[in-house]
Amino acid sequence: MKQLSVLVLDDEERITQEVREFLENMGYRVDTAERPSAAFAALQSTPVDIALIDIKLPEYSGLTFLRRLREQKPEIESIVMSGHGDMDSVIEAFRLGAFDYLRKPFSSFELKAAIERIRRFLDARNSTRRYARLCEELNRELIGNEELIGNSPAIDSVRDAIATAAAHPDTPVLIQGESGTGKELVARRIHALSARSSGRFVAVNCAAVPRDMFESEFFGHARGAFTDAHVSRNGLFKTASGGTLFLDEVGEIPLDLQAKLLRVIEDGKVRSVGSDTETQVSTRVLCATNKNLLDEVKMGRFRRDLYYRLAVVETYIPPLRERPEDIGLLADLFYSRFSRTSGTTARSLPASLIARLTSYAFPGNVRELKNLVERISILGRDPTEKELCAWFDSSGDMDQPTPGDQGAANSLNLEKLEQEAIKRALERTGGNCSAAAGLLGISRQALERRLFRYGLKWS
């Protein structure tokens, strides 16, 4: 345990010496001063945890000293000492931030009790700070200690959405995007940058929770609530209270259970299975899905009221094919990481390989790119064209046909088909972007992303 340091400021030498001797016997390191100027001089060279301050002092009063101490050294806790009949000054001292008060003459028992009260407070405060630092370090580790990688306008929009969501630490957020785009990474960054960062980040894949265990998993259960409930258990909402609960694949929650989830999100009260009492929780909910929840609402598979409660703030993570300019940055980053892990010398991937990667559609998005780069790292050399083509997902689409592939020239190119469909929709609507999006069955924002990607013009 750290040895605490005490500064005693009193112009009565007898008191300072008695207090010094008593506290040193208790294991504290003690400095003394008779004047405020001497005390401040000591504070410049010696760290102090606790200050004992007499109210009546030469030069200026102990209250003035206390005020200046709080301004310059707010981490130091103080005890004021005063004679009988000076309670107005004591009240003012507490207003200025004094932790405790000793009335002169005081006994060694009273002094020890006051010092011990501060020591316990300092121990608790330091433990809280250590816990907060640990959580901060863990959060940095969990999110890779990095910003989202990419220079594309699409990723800039995601960064803006993260900042907005982080600034409102109680508001639900719906994160949408294809599988492998990094929805959990975005959720972790929102949590880490918010005022809830010292709390827990608890992630759950809703599709992996058995239907008959949903309530127990999310809300907990009391002992004996069902056959195998040998002990009581906190659910995910209680576990994440004070922090963030991330519901991945939220669209997979059964319809009849969505109402119970909505109720907890609305009023912040959880009732465990088999319990008659409710527990108040403070849990922020972040959700992710690769489904279009509005379509799910129209199909009757997702509650409309739950959708609007979860989608107070929405962010869309674009697939990698909509931001090809980021592929090179991501590939180099992953390659550098894998090289460090394997102990090999890191190098940049050649421009020819980056160009081939950039032309690929990456249906598995960033996850697929990461796995592919790991293969390249394990290979220990640049892959041949044949190897690279074999690795590309068969459902992917290259801009250029693979050399030697006789059927490639006659294959369907999805991107070209998409461009042609967009051009025809714009022609039929006279360049009206909103109307063209309606014809294509996508949102105006989705159409604008594709126009930007393909370099197409519209009025």
Side-chain angles (χ1 to χ4, degrees), residues 103-144:
R103 191 180 75 177
K104 291 183 175 181
F106 49 82
S107 66
S108 58
F109 174 81
E110 291 172 318
L111 174 60
K112 179 181 179 180
I115 291 291
E116 286 296 298
R117 281 194 291 270
I118 286 191
R119 183 190 61 77
R120 288 194 296 270
F121 169 77
L122 292 175
D123 286 345
R125 186 178 70 183
N126 291 336
S127 295
T128 301
R129 288 176 176 174
R130 283 195 298 271
Y131 175 72
R133 283 196 299 271
L134 176 61
C135 289
E136 190 175 318
E137 291 169 5
L138 286 172
N139 280 324
R140 282 200 301 268
E141 183 178 333
L142 287 170
I143 64 175

Side-chain angles (χ1 to χ4, degrees), residues 331-350:
D332 275 334
L333 172 69
F334 293 145
Y335 191 78
S336 176
R337 284 182 180 172
F338 291 131
S339 297
R340 286 198 302 270
T341 302
S342 61
T344 59
T345 303
R347 63 179 177 83
S348 296
L349 295 171

Side-chain angles (χ1 to χ4, degrees), residues 321-334:
R321 64 182 176 274
E322 291 188 9
R323 50 186 186 103
E325 60 268 49
D326 293 336
I327 291 176
L329 291 171
L330 286 163
D332 275 334
L333 172 69
F334 293 145

Side-chain angles (χ1 to χ4, degrees), residues 425 429 432-444 447:
T429 60
N432 186 307
C433 198
S434 297
L439 283 177
L440 294 167
I442 59 177
S443 69
R444 178 188 172 95
L447 176 58

Side-chain angles (χ1 to χ4, degrees), residues 126-410:
N126 291 336
S127 295
T128 301
R129 288 176 176 174
R130 283 195 298 271
Y131 175 72
R133 283 196 299 271
L134 176 61
C135 289
E136 190 175 318
E137 291 169 5
L138 286 172
N139 280 324
R140 282 200 301 268
E141 183 178 333
L142 287 170
I143 64 175
N145 198 21
E146 66 186 26
E147 295 289 337
L148 288 173
I149 301 302
N151 296 324
S152 63
I155 283 299
D156 286 339
S157 297
V158 175
R159 291 192 185 100
D160 291 342
I162 289 173
T164 298
H168 299 83
D170 297 324
T171 302
V173 179
L174 179 62
I175 305 166
Q176 300 182 87
E178 294 179 6
S179 178
T181 51
K183 296 186 289 295
E184 183 170 343
L185 172 65
V186 168
R188 289 186 182 278
R189 286 208 61 80
I190 291 172
H191 170 77
L193 297 174
S194 75
R196 291 180 174 267
S197 61
S198 61
R200 294 186 64 177
F201 179 93
V202 179
V204 58
N205 186 326
C206 298
V209 180
R211 190 189 182 290
D212 57 348
M213 292 299 295
F214 180 90
E215 290 186 70
S216 173
E217 188 73 15
F218 281 77
F219 311 137
H221 61 251
R223 180 180 179 183
F226 46 85
T227 303
D228 295 326
H230 302 301
V231 294
S232 60
R233 177 187 177 188
N234 286 333
L236 294 170
F237 271 92
K238 289 182 184 178
T239 302
S241 187
T244 301
L245 177 59
F246 174 57
L247 305 180
D248 197 10
E249 296 190 50
V250 68
E252 301 300 326
I253 297 176
L255 186 65
D256 59 324
L257 297 174
Q258 292 174 18
K260 297 181 179 182
L261 177 63
L262 174 63
R263 184 174 181 276
V264 174
I265 295 173
E266 286 283 2
D267 61 22
K269 294 179 180 179
V270 171
R271 176 177 293 173
S272 300
V273 177
S275 174
D276 295 327
T277 60
E278 292 184 324
T279 302
Q280 189 75 40
V281 294
S282 174
T283 306
R284 188 204 194 152
V285 174
L286 304 180
C287 297
T289 179
N290 55 15
K291 294 183 175 182
N292 185 321
L293 285 191
L294 275 179
D295 286 346
E296 294 295 295
V297 169
K298 293 174 184 177
M299 295 294 292
R301 293 192 292 258
F302 202 84
R303 290 179 62 101
R304 185 178 298 274
D305 49 2
L306 179 58
Y307 167 76
Y308 286 116
R309 190 69 190 94
L310 296 177
V312 177
V313 174
E314 289 185 88
T315 180
Y316 168 77
I317 308 176
L320 204 51
R321 64 182 176 274
E322 291 188 9
R323 50 186 186 103
E325 60 268 49
D326 293 336
I327 291 176
L329 291 171
L330 286 163
D332 275 334
L333 172 69
F334 293 145
Y335 191 78
S336 176
R337 284 182 180 172
F338 291 131
S339 297
R340 286 198 302 270
T341 302
S342 61
T344 59
T345 303
R347 63 179 177 83
S348 296
L349 295 171
S352 59
L353 180 55
I354 293 295
R356 287 290 282 148
L357 295 177
T358 302
S359 66
Y360 177 56
F362 282 103
N365 292 296
V366 178
R367 185 183 295 122
E368 183 183 0
L369 172 63
K370 184 176 181 180
N371 292 340
L372 193 148
V373 172
E374 185 175 12
R375 282 187 177 186
I376 295 173
S377 174
I378 293 171
L379 187 65
R381 59 174 172 78
D382 294 340
T384 65
E385 186 72 18
K386 184 177 180 180
E387 288 171 327
L388 191 60
C389 289
W391 292 347
F392 285 142
D393 188 289
S394 60
S395 65
D397 175 48
M398 303 295 293
D399 284 344
Q400 300 297 329
T402 303
D405 185 352
Q406 297 301 319
N410 297 321

